[in-house]
Amino acid sequence: MPRCLIAGCGYVGTATAALFHAAGWEVEGWTSSPESAAALAAQPFPVRALDLTNPDAVRQAARECAVVIQAASSGGGGAEEYRRIYLGSAQHLRAAFPRAHLIFTSSSSVYAQRAGEWVTEESAAEPAHEKGRILRETEDLVLASGGTVARLAGIYGPGRSALLRKFLDGTAVIGPDAERFVNQAHRDDIAAALFLLASQRPAAEPRIFNVADNHPIAQRECYEWLAAHLQRPRPPLSAEAPTRRRGNSNKRVSSAKLQALGWSPRYPTFQIAMKESILPALG
């Protein structure tokens, strides 16, 4: 039975672990705190608390694995936290699992394009912000050791949608950047993508894959759809554009390369995901 480690058993990692378990893999999850591990105690696979930034802890806990998925999150920390969580953890996992296929969940924020153009894995990925540069450094480390990089678009799904949260709590505004494209991927579609990439080590070079629903939508359209569907007022206009923690880019992320491998998102649009998965979860 193949064995998979989910190093970062959070929102995406837990869904991914469940998919591997259902397919018959032996799965183990690592999470950052005892509280998080306790909250996942009912899962049908073991989850332990382990500090990925501690090389000795990673080495001592390591068992032979076919696949290691690094899905840990910085939790919105600064550049130093990014370096510890992403680059440091990748170094420790690579050293502890030298024969495993390492898959790193990066971000489509590494694309700094600003003109609304489509970007593919061959497009320039030259982020202007330090956090993005750390992600790129981590990607290069993973790729150099024969691993795979999954560049995730904005993650959403049941219980998680930044756009919906802002709309419902009244903090959403339609600003001067309202025509900026929003690129997203549903949690369950991300899990399916990671399973596919783990199940067949891709021969394509470089081993970078965008994970996005391939139907980017303008932020204004998102809010207007929510207003119409939920029968609530449209968010107010604002003269100021927000500063984003990973830079102010504007692009459309293509996942054609991943789809050519056989990945097909269950939730291919914002509207479908909202109607079939996210809004029903509100109760």
Side-chain angles (χ1 to χ4, degrees):
M1 180 183 298
R3 189 167 190 276
C4 176
L5 170 67
I6 307 296
C9 211
Y11 185 70
V12 168
T14 302
T16 304
L19 192 59
F20 276 84
H21 175 79
W25 287 59
E26 182 183 353
V27 183
E28 181 176 355
W30 291 356
T31 188
S32 60
S33 70
E35 293 78 14
S36 297
L40 295 171
Q43 294 294 331
F45 47 85
V47 180
R48 72 164 74 183
L50 191 137
D51 182 3
L52 290 175
T53 69
N54 183 330
D56 291 333
V58 173
R59 176 179 51 81
Q60 291 170 10
R63 293 172 53 198
E64 190 72 24
C65 286
V67 174
V68 174
I69 298 179
Q70 182 183 347
S73 168
S74 70
E80 186 55 37
E81 190 71 0
Y82 265 56
R83 188 165 294 280
R84 290 177 61 251
I85 295 294
Y86 295 119
L87 182 59
S89 297
Q91 291 169 335
H92 306 332
L93 290 168
R94 185 69 278 168
F97 299 92
R99 290 182 292 276
H101 178 192
L102 178 59
I103 301 176
F104 171 56
T105 58
S106 185
S107 167
S108 62
S109 67
V110 298
Y111 299 113
Q113 288 79 352
R114 300 175 66 97
E117 63 266 50
W118 281 97
V119 295
T120 71
E121 293 82 356
E122 296 181 356
S123 301
E126 301 170 349
H129 51 98
E130 187 176 1
K131 294 178 182 179
R133 290 193 291 268
I134 294 168
L135 290 176
R136 287 287 293 113
E137 190 176 351
T138 308
E139 290 182 356
D140 289 342
L141 171 73
V142 171
L143 293 170
S145 60
T148 298
V149 169
R151 289 176 176 163
L152 310 185
I155 303 165
Y156 73 147
R160 176 168 171 172
S161 170
L163 287 166
L164 179 61
R165 173 180 54 78
K166 292 177 181 178
F167 180 84
L168 293 177
D169 68 18
T171 60
V173 296
I174 296 178
D177 63 344
E179 302 308 319
R180 171 183 176 271
F181 285 104
V182 176
N183 298 276
Q184 299 185 100
H186 191 281
R187 176 200 63 189
D188 297 347
D189 289 329
I190 295 172
L194 296 174
F195 181 78
L196 174 65
L197 294 175
S199 301
Q200 53 175 62
R201 186 190 293 255
E205 296 288 347
R207 293 171 300 278
I208 301 173
F209 294 86
N210 294 334
V211 184
D213 64 20
N214 222 50
H215 287 87
I217 182 173
Q219 185 184 74
R220 178 194 300 274
E221 188 177 350
C222 291
Y223 285 140
E224 289 178 344
W225 184 89
L226 287 171
H229 190 77
L230 298 176
Q231 298 183 338
R232 296 194 180 195
R234 192 179 72 166
L237 299 177
S238 172
E240 297 183 8
T243 299
R244 295 178 173 83
R245 61 189 177 93
R246 288 183 178 175
N248 292 317
S249 63
N250 180 25
K251 72 273 183 175
R252 289 175 284 178
V253 179
S254 168
S255 60
K257 182 179 178 182
L258 181 61
Q259 292 189 54
L261 286 182
W263 178 76
S264 180
R266 178 180 177 183
Y267 303 100
T269 69
F270 170 81
Q271 296 89 338
I272 290 174
M274 280 291 161
K275 288 189 292 185
E276 296 184 3
S277 172
I278 300 172
L279 291 175
L282 295 177

